Amino acid sequence: MILVTGGLGFIGSHTVVALQENGYDVVIVDDLSNSSIDVIDGIEASSGIRPLFEEMNLQNSIALSSLFQKHKIKGIIHFAAFKAVGESIQKPVAYYQNNLGSLLNLLAEVEKATSPIPFIFSSSCTVYGEAKELPITENTPIQSAKSPYGNTKQIGEEILSDTVHAIDGFRVISLRYFNPIGAHSSIAIGELPLGRPQNLVPIITQTAAGIFPELTVFGNDYPTADGTNIRDYIHVMDLAEAHVVALERVLEGKSNDAYEVFNLGTGKGSSVLEVIQSFERISGKKLSYKIGARREGDVIAAYADTTKANNILGWKTKRSLDEAVASAWEWEKKAMKFLK
Ligand code: WQD
């Protein structure tokens, strides 16, 4: 049984489907603080298999212990965390308590287990901040976090790299995501931001759907070709499939080191305007947008050097930016129909 914490979230739900498509039994733990129970139906519609689900806050160590007694957990993929950069600045205590407390409770269960349980950690390119060199490799210096959210990812990685040597046979892989976008081809699961979305692609699709009157491009005076920020937008199913590959690496004991880190991106940078052009190309619709002020905390550019994941993990992205944006638009149109 593979434990997927936060498995009803955007990346978590897509990873559950990829695991099921590869023959794994999954139990999801989620506290529904930023996800909907209906996602279970979406996962079943996507894979044809209904995953086991336990509603639980990972800070409840007693409930977590009983879960490990109830299920023979042979691997953990840990997504569950609060993840809004801006909110983390307003509520730092809640972010450190939840994100680090949950991780520590999971590690306490790994420590108690009779045999080591391999662990995949959901990390983020946020740890690199404004990288001095591009593309970003796994050796690019980690910069001090600009938000408590980003700091919980950095501290989480440090906790794991310290812990792994204290638990005999424990193997951990941290996956540093760039910008996940899109939806599973079934369009039965997708990005479901509760409340007002923060990220570019759901704001594009919700603007096109008429939920917002226009998109504001946060600055076009950056030192880039078209003046707008550059990011590495990766299809969420490519990202999900990378988790299966990483899990198999640790399950089969193929890791070179007890603790490994991989960047997960396409290796290609796209500007905000290029993403807008991609949307207009795949949808045939003109997007209403204006140029506004820069957003506090935005880095100029971030995209991955994917050499390590390609050569060592044996994984690379298969889907294009247009495919990812098109799947996000299909998901939005479906959600619109549903809401009407
Ligand atoms: C992308 C670009 C904006 C909205 C975030 C998190 C990061 C990680 C990935 C978790 C930026 C521009 C956006 C809008 C805009 N998540 N934009 N108008 O900030 O790169 O990363 O998601 O680990 O932690 O911070 O993604 O989608 O918010 O922004 O111009 O209305 O789109 O300025 O350049 P970001 P994003």
Side-chain angles (χ1 to χ4, degrees), residues 11 82-86 122-127 147 149-150 153 177-181 191 196-204 207 214-219 222 228-233 270-273 275-276 290 292-302:
I11 304 166
F82 294 158
K83 59 157 193 156
V85 172
S122 166
S123 190
S124 167
C125 64
T126 295
V127 302
S147 72
Y149 160 74
K153 289 299 177 187
Y177 314 148
F178 282 69
N179 288 56
I181 63 170
E191 190 165 5
R196 184 182 173 86
Q198 299 298 314
N199 295 126
L200 177 65
V201 170
I203 294 176
I204 286 177
T207 301
E214 69 179 354
L215 167 90
T216 302
V217 172
F218 295 142
Y222 286 97
T228 63
N229 291 147
I230 292 170
R231 296 289 185 275
D232 185 334
Y233 296 95
S270 300
S271 73
V272 176
L273 291 179
V275 177
I276 292 172
K290 69 179 180 189
R294 292 184 173 191
R295 177 174 69 175
E296 183 70 26
D298 274 337
V299 298
I300 300 166

Short mmCIF file of all heavy atoms in Angstrom, two decimals, residues 11 82-86 122-127 147 149-150 153 177-181 191 196-204 207 214-219 222 228-233 270-273 275-276 290 292-302, ligand 1:
data_model
loop_
_atom_site.label_atom_id
_atom_site.label_comp_id
_atom_site.label_asym_id
_atom_site.label_seq_id
_atom_site.Cartn_x
_atom_site.Cartn_y
_atom_site.Cartn_z
N ILE A 11 -1.68 18.23 -7.30
CA ILE A 11 -0.62 17.32 -7.74
C ILE A 11 -0.83 15.93 -7.12
O ILE A 11 -0.65 14.90 -7.77
CB ILE A 11 0.77 17.88 -7.38
CG1 ILE A 11 0.92 19.28 -7.98
CG2 ILE A 11 1.88 16.97 -7.89
CD1 ILE A 11 2.08 20.07 -7.44
N PHE A 82 0.35 23.28 3.81
CA PHE A 82 -0.22 24.56 3.40
C PHE A 82 0.75 25.14 2.38
O PHE A 82 1.97 25.05 2.56
CB PHE A 82 -0.35 25.52 4.59
CG PHE A 82 -1.33 25.09 5.66
CD1 PHE A 82 -1.21 25.58 6.95
CD2 PHE A 82 -2.36 24.19 5.39
CE1 PHE A 82 -2.11 25.21 7.96
CE2 PHE A 82 -3.27 23.81 6.37
CZ PHE A 82 -3.13 24.32 7.66
N LYS A 83 0.22 25.79 1.29
CA LYS A 83 1.18 26.13 0.23
C LYS A 83 0.99 27.52 -0.39
O LYS A 83 1.50 27.81 -1.47
CB LYS A 83 1.08 25.10 -0.89
CG LYS A 83 -0.30 25.01 -1.47
CD LYS A 83 -0.28 24.45 -2.86
CE LYS A 83 -1.62 24.68 -3.50
NZ LYS A 83 -1.58 24.70 -4.94
N ALA A 84 0.28 28.41 0.31
CA ALA A 84 0.08 29.74 -0.28
C ALA A 84 1.17 30.69 0.24
O ALA A 84 1.23 30.96 1.46
CB ALA A 84 -1.30 30.27 0.05
N VAL A 85 2.00 31.16 -0.66
CA VAL A 85 3.14 32.01 -0.28
C VAL A 85 2.67 33.22 0.54
O VAL A 85 3.15 33.47 1.64
CB VAL A 85 3.89 32.46 -1.56
CG1 VAL A 85 4.94 33.49 -1.24
CG2 VAL A 85 4.50 31.27 -2.26
N GLY A 86 1.70 33.93 0.00
CA GLY A 86 1.23 35.16 0.65
C GLY A 86 0.63 34.86 2.02
O GLY A 86 0.94 35.53 3.01
N SER A 122 7.51 16.25 -1.42
CA SER A 122 7.10 17.28 -2.36
C SER A 122 7.80 18.59 -2.01
O SER A 122 7.45 19.25 -1.03
CB SER A 122 5.58 17.46 -2.24
OG SER A 122 5.18 18.63 -2.87
N SER A 123 8.84 18.93 -2.80
CA SER A 123 9.52 20.19 -2.56
C SER A 123 9.28 21.13 -3.75
O SER A 123 8.37 20.90 -4.54
CB SER A 123 11.03 19.95 -2.34
OG SER A 123 11.63 21.15 -1.87
N SER A 124 10.05 22.19 -3.83
CA SER A 124 9.68 23.23 -4.79
C SER A 124 10.90 24.00 -5.26
O SER A 124 11.87 24.19 -4.50
CB SER A 124 8.71 24.21 -4.10
OG SER A 124 8.55 25.38 -4.86
N CYS A 125 10.83 24.51 -6.48
CA CYS A 125 11.90 25.36 -7.03
C CYS A 125 11.98 26.66 -6.24
O CYS A 125 12.95 27.42 -6.38
CB CYS A 125 11.64 25.65 -8.50
SG CYS A 125 10.13 26.60 -8.79
N THR A 126 10.98 26.89 -5.40
CA THR A 126 11.00 28.09 -4.54
C THR A 126 12.28 28.15 -3.72
O THR A 126 12.78 29.23 -3.41
CB THR A 126 9.77 28.02 -3.60
OG1 THR A 126 8.61 28.11 -4.39
CG2 THR A 126 9.78 29.10 -2.57
N VAL A 127 12.85 26.98 -3.41
CA VAL A 127 14.05 26.97 -2.55
C VAL A 127 15.23 27.69 -3.22
O VAL A 127 16.15 28.15 -2.56
CB VAL A 127 14.45 25.52 -2.15
CG1 VAL A 127 13.32 24.81 -1.43
CG2 VAL A 127 14.93 24.73 -3.35
N SER A 147 9.66 33.45 2.11
CA SER A 147 8.36 33.30 2.79
C SER A 147 8.43 32.11 3.73
O SER A 147 9.22 31.18 3.50
CB SER A 147 7.26 33.05 1.75
OG SER A 147 7.39 31.74 1.22
N TYR A 149 6.37 29.80 3.84
CA TYR A 149 6.03 28.62 3.02
C TYR A 149 7.32 28.05 2.43
O TYR A 149 7.63 26.87 2.61
CB TYR A 149 5.05 28.97 1.89
CG TYR A 149 5.10 27.92 0.81
CD1 TYR A 149 4.54 26.67 1.01
CD2 TYR A 149 5.79 28.17 -0.38
CE1 TYR A 149 4.65 25.68 0.04
CE2 TYR A 149 5.89 27.18 -1.35
CZ TYR A 149 5.34 25.95 -1.13
OH TYR A 149 5.46 24.96 -2.09
N GLY A 150 8.08 28.91 1.74
CA GLY A 150 9.32 28.43 1.11
C GLY A 150 10.28 27.88 2.15
O GLY A 150 10.97 26.89 1.91
N LYS A 153 9.69 24.34 3.12
CA LYS A 153 10.21 23.37 2.14
C LYS A 153 11.71 23.16 2.38
O LYS A 153 12.21 22.04 2.38
CB LYS A 153 9.99 23.87 0.71
CG LYS A 153 8.53 23.84 0.26
CD LYS A 153 7.97 22.43 0.28
CE LYS A 153 6.49 22.40 -0.10
NZ LYS A 153 5.90 21.06 0.08
N TYR A 177 9.58 20.83 -7.65
CA TYR A 177 8.72 21.11 -8.80
C TYR A 177 8.94 22.53 -9.30
O TYR A 177 9.10 23.45 -8.49
CB TYR A 177 7.24 21.04 -8.42
CG TYR A 177 6.79 19.88 -7.61
CD1 TYR A 177 5.75 20.02 -6.71
CD2 TYR A 177 7.39 18.63 -7.72
CE1 TYR A 177 5.31 18.96 -5.95
CE2 TYR A 177 6.96 17.56 -6.95
CZ TYR A 177 5.92 17.73 -6.07
OH TYR A 177 5.49 16.68 -5.31
N PHE A 178 8.80 22.72 -10.58
CA PHE A 178 8.72 24.07 -11.12
C PHE A 178 7.23 24.44 -11.15
O PHE A 178 6.58 24.32 -10.10
CB PHE A 178 9.53 24.13 -12.43
CG PHE A 178 11.01 24.22 -12.07
CD1 PHE A 178 11.67 23.13 -11.50
CD2 PHE A 178 11.70 25.41 -12.20
CE1 PHE A 178 13.01 23.22 -11.11
CE2 PHE A 178 13.04 25.50 -11.82
CZ PHE A 178 13.69 24.42 -11.26
N ASN A 179 6.66 24.85 -12.25
CA ASN A 179 5.27 25.33 -12.18
C ASN A 179 4.28 24.34 -12.77
O ASN A 179 4.10 24.31 -13.98
CB ASN A 179 5.16 26.69 -12.87
CG ASN A 179 5.81 27.79 -12.05
OD1 ASN A 179 7.00 27.69 -11.72
ND2 ASN A 179 5.05 28.81 -11.70
N PRO A 180 3.62 23.54 -11.94
CA PRO A 180 2.69 22.52 -12.45
C PRO A 180 1.41 23.16 -12.98
O PRO A 180 0.84 24.05 -12.32
CB PRO A 180 2.39 21.65 -11.23
CG PRO A 180 3.22 22.16 -10.11
CD PRO A 180 3.69 23.52 -10.48
N ILE A 181 0.96 22.71 -14.15
CA ILE A 181 -0.30 23.24 -14.73
C ILE A 181 -1.02 22.11 -15.45
O ILE A 181 -0.44 21.06 -15.75
CB ILE A 181 -0.03 24.38 -15.74
CG1 ILE A 181 0.80 23.89 -16.94
CG2 ILE A 181 0.61 25.58 -15.06
CD1 ILE A 181 0.89 24.92 -18.07
N GLU A 191 -6.92 21.36 -11.62
CA GLU A 191 -6.53 22.31 -10.58
C GLU A 191 -7.81 22.95 -10.04
O GLU A 191 -8.57 23.56 -10.79
CB GLU A 191 -5.60 23.38 -11.14
CG GLU A 191 -4.97 24.26 -10.07
CD GLU A 191 -3.77 25.06 -10.58
OE1 GLU A 191 -3.47 25.01 -11.80
OE2 GLU A 191 -3.13 25.72 -9.75
N ARG A 196 -10.18 32.40 -4.57
CA ARG A 196 -9.56 33.07 -5.72
C ARG A 196 -8.19 32.45 -6.01
O ARG A 196 -7.36 32.34 -5.13
CB ARG A 196 -9.39 34.57 -5.39
CG ARG A 196 -8.85 35.35 -6.55
CD ARG A 196 -8.63 36.85 -6.20
NE ARG A 196 -7.95 37.52 -7.31
CZ ARG A 196 -8.56 38.04 -8.37
NH1 ARG A 196 -9.88 37.99 -8.44
NH2 ARG A 196 -7.88 38.61 -9.34
N PRO A 197 -7.99 31.99 -7.26
CA PRO A 197 -6.69 31.36 -7.57
C PRO A 197 -5.57 32.39 -7.52
O PRO A 197 -5.81 33.58 -7.74
CB PRO A 197 -6.88 30.84 -8.99
CG PRO A 197 -8.02 31.59 -9.56
CD PRO A 197 -8.89 32.01 -8.41
N GLN A 198 -4.38 31.93 -7.21
CA GLN A 198 -3.20 32.80 -7.18
C GLN A 198 -2.35 32.62 -8.44
O GLN A 198 -1.65 33.50 -8.87
CB GLN A 198 -2.31 32.43 -5.98
CG GLN A 198 -2.98 32.58 -4.63
CD GLN A 198 -3.39 34.02 -4.35
OE1 GLN A 198 -2.61 34.95 -4.55
NE2 GLN A 198 -4.63 34.23 -3.95
N ASN A 199 -2.43 31.38 -9.00
CA ASN A 199 -1.47 31.04 -10.05
C ASN A 199 -1.95 31.47 -11.44
O ASN A 199 -3.15 31.53 -11.71
CB ASN A 199 -1.19 29.52 -10.04
CG ASN A 199 -0.48 29.10 -8.74
OD1 ASN A 199 -0.92 28.22 -8.04
ND2 ASN A 199 0.62 29.78 -8.42
N LEU A 200 -1.00 31.70 -12.32
CA LEU A 200 -1.28 32.29 -13.63
C LEU A 200 -2.30 31.51 -14.44
O LEU A 200 -3.30 32.08 -14.92
CB LEU A 200 0.02 32.40 -14.43
CG LEU A 200 -0.13 32.94 -15.86
CD1 LEU A 200 -0.62 34.39 -15.85
CD2 LEU A 200 1.19 32.82 -16.63
N VAL A 201 -2.10 30.18 -14.61
CA VAL A 201 -2.95 29.46 -15.58
C VAL A 201 -4.41 29.37 -15.13
O VAL A 201 -5.31 29.68 -15.92
CB VAL A 201 -2.33 28.08 -15.92
CG1 VAL A 201 -3.31 27.22 -16.71
CG2 VAL A 201 -1.04 28.29 -16.73
N PRO A 202 -4.71 29.05 -13.87
CA PRO A 202 -6.13 29.08 -13.50
C PRO A 202 -6.74 30.49 -13.59
O PRO A 202 -7.92 30.64 -13.90
CB PRO A 202 -6.16 28.57 -12.05
CG PRO A 202 -4.77 28.42 -11.62
CD PRO A 202 -3.88 28.48 -12.81
N ILE A 203 -5.92 31.52 -13.41
CA ILE A 203 -6.46 32.89 -13.57
C ILE A 203 -6.74 33.15 -15.05
O ILE A 203 -7.77 33.74 -15.41
CB ILE A 203 -5.50 33.94 -12.97
CG1 ILE A 203 -5.44 33.77 -11.44
CG2 ILE A 203 -5.97 35.37 -13.31
CD1 ILE A 203 -4.46 34.67 -10.74
N ILE A 204 -5.87 32.67 -15.94
CA ILE A 204 -6.13 32.81 -17.38
C ILE A 204 -7.45 32.12 -17.74
O ILE A 204 -8.33 32.71 -18.38
CB ILE A 204 -4.96 32.22 -18.20
CG1 ILE A 204 -3.74 33.14 -18.15
CG2 ILE A 204 -5.39 31.99 -19.66
CD1 ILE A 204 -2.51 32.60 -18.88
N THR A 207 -10.45 33.86 -16.31
CA THR A 207 -10.71 35.13 -17.02
C THR A 207 -11.42 34.82 -18.34
O THR A 207 -12.44 35.43 -18.67
CB THR A 207 -9.39 35.89 -17.27
OG1 THR A 207 -8.77 36.15 -16.01
CG2 THR A 207 -9.63 37.20 -18.01
N GLU A 214 -10.68 40.77 -16.49
CA GLU A 214 -9.43 40.74 -17.26
C GLU A 214 -8.29 40.27 -16.37
O GLU A 214 -8.38 40.32 -15.14
CB GLU A 214 -9.12 42.14 -17.84
CG GLU A 214 -8.74 43.17 -16.82
CD GLU A 214 -8.42 44.53 -17.47
OE1 GLU A 214 -8.39 44.66 -18.71
OE2 GLU A 214 -8.23 45.47 -16.70
N LEU A 215 -7.23 39.81 -17.01
CA LEU A 215 -6.03 39.36 -16.29
C LEU A 215 -5.08 40.55 -16.17
O LEU A 215 -4.97 41.36 -17.10
CB LEU A 215 -5.34 38.26 -17.10
CG LEU A 215 -3.92 37.88 -16.65
CD1 LEU A 215 -3.99 36.77 -15.61
CD2 LEU A 215 -3.07 37.42 -17.81
N THR A 216 -4.42 40.68 -15.05
CA THR A 216 -3.35 41.69 -14.93
C THR A 216 -2.01 40.97 -15.05
O THR A 216 -1.76 40.02 -14.29
CB THR A 216 -3.44 42.40 -13.56
OG1 THR A 216 -4.72 43.00 -13.44
CG2 THR A 216 -2.34 43.46 -13.44
N VAL A 217 -1.22 41.40 -16.01
CA VAL A 217 0.15 40.87 -16.13
C VAL A 217 1.01 41.66 -15.14
O VAL A 217 1.08 42.89 -15.23
CB VAL A 217 0.68 41.03 -17.56
CG1 VAL A 217 2.17 40.66 -17.63
CG2 VAL A 217 -0.14 40.18 -18.53
N PHE A 218 1.61 40.95 -14.19
CA PHE A 218 2.33 41.66 -13.12
C PHE A 218 3.71 42.14 -13.60
O PHE A 218 4.73 41.60 -13.23
CB PHE A 218 2.48 40.75 -11.89
CG PHE A 218 1.18 40.38 -11.24
CD1 PHE A 218 0.99 39.12 -10.72
CD2 PHE A 218 0.14 41.30 -11.14
CE1 PHE A 218 -0.22 38.75 -10.11
CE2 PHE A 218 -1.07 40.95 -10.53
CZ PHE A 218 -1.25 39.69 -10.01
N GLY A 219 3.70 43.14 -14.44
CA GLY A 219 4.95 43.79 -14.84
C GLY A 219 5.46 43.31 -16.18
O GLY A 219 5.49 42.10 -16.45
N TYR A 222 10.65 43.67 -16.87
CA TYR A 222 11.73 42.81 -16.38
C TYR A 222 12.79 42.64 -17.46
O TYR A 222 12.47 42.77 -18.66
CB TYR A 222 11.17 41.44 -15.97
CG TYR A 222 10.39 41.44 -14.68
CD1 TYR A 222 9.00 41.53 -14.67
CD2 TYR A 222 11.05 41.35 -13.45
CE1 TYR A 222 8.29 41.53 -13.48
CE2 TYR A 222 10.34 41.35 -12.26
CZ TYR A 222 8.96 41.43 -12.28
OH TYR A 222 8.26 41.44 -11.10
N THR A 228 8.35 40.20 -19.50
CA THR A 228 7.55 39.53 -18.45
C THR A 228 8.34 38.34 -17.88
O THR A 228 9.28 37.85 -18.50
CB THR A 228 6.18 39.02 -19.02
OG1 THR A 228 6.42 38.03 -20.02
CG2 THR A 228 5.40 40.18 -19.60
N ASN A 229 7.92 37.92 -16.68
CA ASN A 229 8.64 36.86 -15.96
C ASN A 229 8.66 35.55 -16.75
O ASN A 229 7.71 35.26 -17.48
CB ASN A 229 7.96 36.55 -14.63
CG ASN A 229 8.06 37.66 -13.62
OD1 ASN A 229 7.17 37.85 -12.83
ND2 ASN A 229 9.14 38.40 -13.65
N ILE A 230 9.69 34.77 -16.52
CA ILE A 230 9.83 33.46 -17.17
C ILE A 230 9.74 32.36 -16.12
O ILE A 230 10.35 32.45 -15.05
CB ILE A 230 11.17 33.40 -17.93
CG1 ILE A 230 11.13 34.37 -19.12
CG2 ILE A 230 11.49 31.97 -18.39
CD1 ILE A 230 12.46 34.58 -19.80
N ARG A 231 8.96 31.31 -16.44
CA ARG A 231 8.81 30.16 -15.55
C ARG A 231 8.87 28.87 -16.38
O ARG A 231 8.75 28.90 -17.60
CB ARG A 231 7.45 30.21 -14.83
CG ARG A 231 7.27 31.40 -13.90
CD ARG A 231 8.12 31.27 -12.66
NE ARG A 231 7.86 32.36 -11.72
CZ ARG A 231 8.44 33.55 -11.75
NH1 ARG A 231 9.34 33.82 -12.73
NH2 ARG A 231 8.17 34.46 -10.84
N ASP A 232 8.99 27.74 -15.69
CA ASP A 232 9.03 26.43 -16.36
C ASP A 232 7.71 25.73 -16.04
O ASP A 232 7.54 25.15 -14.97
CB ASP A 232 10.24 25.65 -15.79
CG ASP A 232 10.47 24.34 -16.49
OD1 ASP A 232 9.50 23.78 -17.04
OD2 ASP A 232 11.63 23.86 -16.50
N TYR A 233 6.78 25.81 -17.01
CA TYR A 233 5.43 25.28 -16.79
C TYR A 233 5.39 23.81 -17.21
O TYR A 233 5.57 23.50 -18.38
CB TYR A 233 4.40 26.10 -17.58
CG TYR A 233 4.32 27.54 -17.11
CD1 TYR A 233 5.06 28.55 -17.73
CD2 TYR A 233 3.56 27.89 -16.01
CE1 TYR A 233 5.02 29.86 -17.29
CE2 TYR A 233 3.50 29.21 -15.55
CZ TYR A 233 4.25 30.19 -16.19
OH TYR A 233 4.22 31.49 -15.73
N SER A 270 9.13 29.76 -20.23
CA SER A 270 8.08 30.45 -21.00
C SER A 270 7.70 31.72 -20.25
O SER A 270 7.56 31.70 -19.02
CB SER A 270 6.83 29.57 -21.14
OG SER A 270 7.14 28.36 -21.82
N SER A 271 7.54 32.82 -21.00
CA SER A 271 7.17 34.08 -20.35
C SER A 271 5.66 34.13 -20.14
O SER A 271 4.89 33.34 -20.72
CB SER A 271 7.59 35.26 -21.24
OG SER A 271 6.72 35.33 -22.35
N VAL A 272 5.22 35.06 -19.32
CA VAL A 272 3.78 35.23 -19.07
C VAL A 272 3.06 35.46 -20.40
O VAL A 272 2.03 34.84 -20.70
CB VAL A 272 3.54 36.40 -18.09
CG1 VAL A 272 2.05 36.65 -17.91
CG2 VAL A 272 4.21 36.12 -16.75
N LEU A 273 3.63 36.35 -21.23
CA LEU A 273 2.97 36.64 -22.53
C LEU A 273 2.95 35.39 -23.42
O LEU A 273 1.98 35.17 -24.15
CB LEU A 273 3.66 37.81 -23.22
CG LEU A 273 3.48 39.18 -22.55
CD1 LEU A 273 4.22 40.28 -23.31
CD2 LEU A 273 2.00 39.55 -22.40
N VAL A 275 2.64 32.34 -22.37
CA VAL A 275 1.56 31.47 -21.87
C VAL A 275 0.22 32.00 -22.34
O VAL A 275 -0.67 31.25 -22.76
CB VAL A 275 1.62 31.36 -20.33
CG1 VAL A 275 0.45 30.51 -19.80
CG2 VAL A 275 2.95 30.76 -19.88
N ILE A 276 0.07 33.33 -22.32
CA ILE A 276 -1.17 33.94 -22.83
C ILE A 276 -1.34 33.60 -24.32
O ILE A 276 -2.42 33.20 -24.77
CB ILE A 276 -1.17 35.46 -22.60
CG1 ILE A 276 -1.27 35.76 -21.09
CG2 ILE A 276 -2.30 36.14 -23.37
CD1 ILE A 276 -1.09 37.23 -20.72
N LYS A 290 -4.33 43.30 -19.09
CA LYS A 290 -3.64 44.61 -19.08
C LYS A 290 -2.30 44.42 -18.37
O LYS A 290 -2.10 43.44 -17.63
CB LYS A 290 -4.49 45.65 -18.34
CG LYS A 290 -4.60 45.38 -16.85
CD LYS A 290 -5.43 46.41 -16.12
CE LYS A 290 -5.47 46.04 -14.63
NZ LYS A 290 -6.38 46.81 -13.82
N GLY A 292 0.10 45.46 -15.47
CA GLY A 292 0.01 46.15 -14.19
C GLY A 292 1.37 46.20 -13.52
O GLY A 292 2.40 45.90 -14.15
N ALA A 293 1.34 46.53 -12.24
CA ALA A 293 2.60 46.65 -11.47
C ALA A 293 3.18 45.27 -11.18
O ALA A 293 2.46 44.27 -11.23
CB ALA A 293 2.30 47.36 -10.13
N ARG A 294 4.48 45.25 -10.91
CA ARG A 294 5.14 44.00 -10.51
C ARG A 294 4.50 43.46 -9.23
O ARG A 294 3.94 44.21 -8.44
CB ARG A 294 6.61 44.27 -10.23
CG ARG A 294 7.43 44.64 -11.45
CD ARG A 294 8.88 44.79 -11.08
NE ARG A 294 9.75 45.00 -12.27
CZ ARG A 294 11.08 44.95 -12.21
NH1 ARG A 294 11.69 44.69 -11.06
NH2 ARG A 294 11.81 45.14 -13.31
N ARG A 295 4.57 42.12 -9.07
CA ARG A 295 4.05 41.51 -7.82
C ARG A 295 5.24 41.27 -6.89
O ARG A 295 6.26 40.70 -7.29
CB ARG A 295 3.36 40.18 -8.14
CG ARG A 295 2.84 39.44 -6.93
CD ARG A 295 2.03 38.21 -7.30
NE ARG A 295 2.87 37.16 -7.89
CZ ARG A 295 2.40 35.95 -8.21
NH1 ARG A 295 1.13 35.64 -8.04
NH2 ARG A 295 3.21 35.03 -8.74
N GLU A 296 5.07 41.70 -5.64
CA GLU A 296 6.10 41.52 -4.60
C GLU A 296 6.54 40.06 -4.54
O GLU A 296 5.70 39.15 -4.55
CB GLU A 296 5.48 41.93 -3.24
CG GLU A 296 6.44 41.86 -2.06
CD GLU A 296 7.50 42.97 -2.14
OE1 GLU A 296 7.24 44.01 -2.75
OE2 GLU A 296 8.61 42.74 -1.59
N GLY A 297 7.86 39.85 -4.56
CA GLY A 297 8.34 38.48 -4.34
C GLY A 297 8.55 37.67 -5.62
O GLY A 297 9.15 36.59 -5.58
N ASP A 298 8.10 38.19 -6.76
CA ASP A 298 8.30 37.44 -8.00
C ASP A 298 9.77 37.41 -8.40
O ASP A 298 10.43 38.46 -8.36
CB ASP A 298 7.50 38.06 -9.16
CG ASP A 298 6.07 37.54 -9.22
OD1 ASP A 298 5.82 36.43 -8.69
OD2 ASP A 298 5.21 38.23 -9.77
N VAL A 299 10.27 36.25 -8.79
CA VAL A 299 11.63 36.19 -9.35
C VAL A 299 11.53 36.49 -10.83
O VAL A 299 10.48 36.28 -11.45
CB VAL A 299 12.31 34.83 -9.08
CG1 VAL A 299 12.47 34.58 -7.60
CG2 VAL A 299 11.55 33.69 -9.75
N ILE A 300 12.63 36.96 -11.43
CA ILE A 300 12.61 37.33 -12.85
C ILE A 300 12.39 36.11 -13.72
O ILE A 300 11.51 36.07 -14.56
CB ILE A 300 13.94 38.01 -13.25
CG1 ILE A 300 14.16 39.27 -12.41
CG2 ILE A 300 13.97 38.32 -14.75
CD1 ILE A 300 15.59 39.81 -12.49
N ALA A 301 13.21 35.08 -13.44
CA ALA A 301 13.15 33.88 -14.29
C ALA A 301 13.55 32.65 -13.50
O ALA A 301 14.44 32.73 -12.64
CB ALA A 301 14.07 34.03 -15.50
N ALA A 302 12.89 31.53 -13.79
CA ALA A 302 13.24 30.25 -13.15
C ALA A 302 12.82 29.14 -14.10
O ALA A 302 11.65 29.05 -14.44
CB ALA A 302 12.52 30.09 -11.81
C1 WQD B 1 3.66 32.75 -12.53
C2 WQD B 1 3.94 34.04 -13.26
C3 WQD B 1 3.49 36.06 -12.04
C4 WQD B 1 -0.84 35.72 -11.88
C5 WQD B 1 4.01 29.70 -7.45
C6 WQD B 1 4.44 29.59 -6.03
C7 WQD B 1 5.55 28.59 -5.94
C8 WQD B 1 5.13 27.29 -6.55
C9 WQD B 1 4.61 27.48 -7.97
C10 WQD B 1 4.46 25.82 -4.79
C11 WQD B 1 4.60 35.08 -12.37
C12 WQD B 1 2.60 35.95 -13.27
C13 WQD B 1 0.49 35.44 -12.14
C14 WQD B 1 -1.44 36.85 -12.48
C15 WQD B 1 0.62 37.36 -13.58
N1 WQD B 1 4.13 26.69 -5.76
N2 WQD B 1 1.19 36.24 -12.98
N3 WQD B 1 -0.68 37.63 -13.32
O1 WQD B 1 4.73 32.59 -8.46
O2 WQD B 1 6.00 31.27 -10.23
O3 WQD B 1 5.07 30.11 -8.25
O4 WQD B 1 3.56 28.46 -7.92
O5 WQD B 1 5.52 25.35 -4.55
O6 WQD B 1 5.85 28.44 -4.57
O7 WQD B 1 4.91 30.85 -5.65
O8 WQD B 1 3.54 30.97 -10.01
O9 WQD B 1 1.45 31.11 -11.30
O10 WQD B 1 1.71 32.59 -9.24
O11 WQD B 1 3.00 33.09 -11.30
O12 WQD B 1 1.28 38.09 -14.33
O13 WQD B 1 -2.66 37.18 -12.28
O14 WQD B 1 2.70 34.61 -13.68
O15 WQD B 1 3.96 37.39 -11.90
O16 WQD B 1 5.56 35.76 -13.16
P1 WQD B 1 4.90 31.34 -9.25
P2 WQD B 1 2.33 31.94 -10.42
#
